[in-house]
Amino acid sequence: MEEWIFQVTAVALPAILAITFHEAAHGFVAWRLGDDTAYRLGRVTFNPIRHIDPFGTILLPALMYFTTGFVFGWAKPVPVNFARLDHPRRDMVWVALAGPGTNFLLAVASAVIWRLVNPENSYIELWIRSAAEVSVLVNVILMVFNLIPLPPLDGGRVAVGILPDVLAVPLAKLERVGLLILMAAFFLLPMLGRQIGMDLSVMHWVLGPPVDAVIDFIRILTGND
């Protein structure tokens, strides 16, 4: 039981913090740039309870962790009224980048903590080292995943904000079906591939190289081996 608690908390707490800080960052930047929608709803906070989606943050990740070993989930999206921003199209980009940017900073901070603690000193430091390692991985994956240039992901909103209208308008129209496209690409295609004997793991192709590159960069940045 002690080992089970160790493993679950070392995974769950970094994941919840990564999602919480990601969503709070969106709300904070939107508030500072003119839209107080999230602030008035109490979403500009580091209290994870305000951001937790019972299914996407708890049930689905737990189910996937114990069945597949891979964790995927989401928090309640922070509401942003882009029309209320001081400069809607430009500021939309900054609001979108706030979440992945925060995950990057959390990953770097976690790498520093990982380097500073010695797991041989105590059981607590062993837990901190394990949680910090998970935090680096979770934050980098969350950052890279959200930077995929498909609405409603942050990368899609960045692309809509910086592309010319001839490209931005049709991309923005994918907002309603963006998550369905991702679900099909990341879950249905691998299932189909297993049936026909082919590797159709799009998630590995899309996230693998960028995640590895960012983790290598963080190791160099923090002096980790």
Side-chain angles (χ1 to χ4, degrees):
M1 178 61 71
E2 184 178 341
E3 182 65 22
W4 182 84
I5 294 174
F6 181 101
Q7 292 180 0
V8 171
T9 55
V11 172
L13 290 180
I16 290 173
L17 287 177
I19 294 172
T20 297
F21 277 63
H22 179 103
E23 295 300 333
H26 284 314
F28 177 78
V29 172
W31 175 40
R32 302 305 297 172
L33 293 178
D35 176 33
D36 65 349
T37 303
Y39 178 79
R40 287 185 289 104
L41 293 174
R43 298 296 303 279
V44 184
T45 175
F46 293 133
N47 178 1
I49 296 176
R50 304 292 300 189
H51 304 288
I52 286 176
D53 178 284
F55 179 76
T57 314
I58 299 176
L59 184 59
L60 179 62
L63 181 63
M64 294 188 66
Y65 177 75
F66 288 110
T67 57
T68 68
F70 176 79
V71 176
F72 177 81
W74 58 83
K76 289 189 297 186
V78 167
V80 178
N81 185 347
F82 294 108
R84 298 188 62 186
L85 296 172
D86 296 334
H87 304 280
R89 187 160 184 174
R90 184 198 68 187
D91 292 346
M92 175 178 65
V93 174
W94 293 116
V95 172
L97 287 175
T102 298
N103 290 129
F104 177 76
L105 294 177
L106 285 173
V108 172
S110 299
V112 172
I113 293 172
W114 185 93
R115 183 176 179 83
L116 292 177
V117 299
N118 184 354
E120 297 180 359
N121 287 342
S122 68
Y123 193 71
I124 293 177
E125 289 198 56
L126 176 61
W127 184 91
I128 293 174
R129 169 68 75 92
S130 300
E133 188 171 341
V134 171
S135 181
V136 171
L137 184 60
V138 167
N139 276 287
V140 171
I141 290 176
L142 192 59
M143 179 189 74
V144 173
F145 176 79
N146 274 281
L147 287 176
I148 294 174
L150 178 68
L153 297 180
D154 299 326
R157 296 224 166 97
V158 171
V160 170
I162 64 177
L163 288 174
D165 289 345
V166 65
L167 297 175
V169 172
L171 182 61
K173 291 180 179 179
L174 294 177
E175 177 99 15
R176 296 179 180 178
V177 296
L179 285 180
L180 293 178
I181 294 173
L182 287 170
M183 290 293 184
F186 284 175
F187 295 104
L188 295 183
L189 278 181
M191 292 173 60
L192 176 62
R194 286 192 293 269
Q195 295 296 320
I196 61 177
M198 295 180 61
D199 181 11
L200 298 179
S201 179
V202 178
M203 184 174 293
H204 176 73
W205 302 339
V206 173
L207 298 186
V211 166
D212 291 341
V214 175
I215 289 178
D216 288 342
F217 175 73
I218 291 174
R219 285 173 177 166
I220 295 172
L221 193 65
T222 58
N224 290 334
D225 296 329

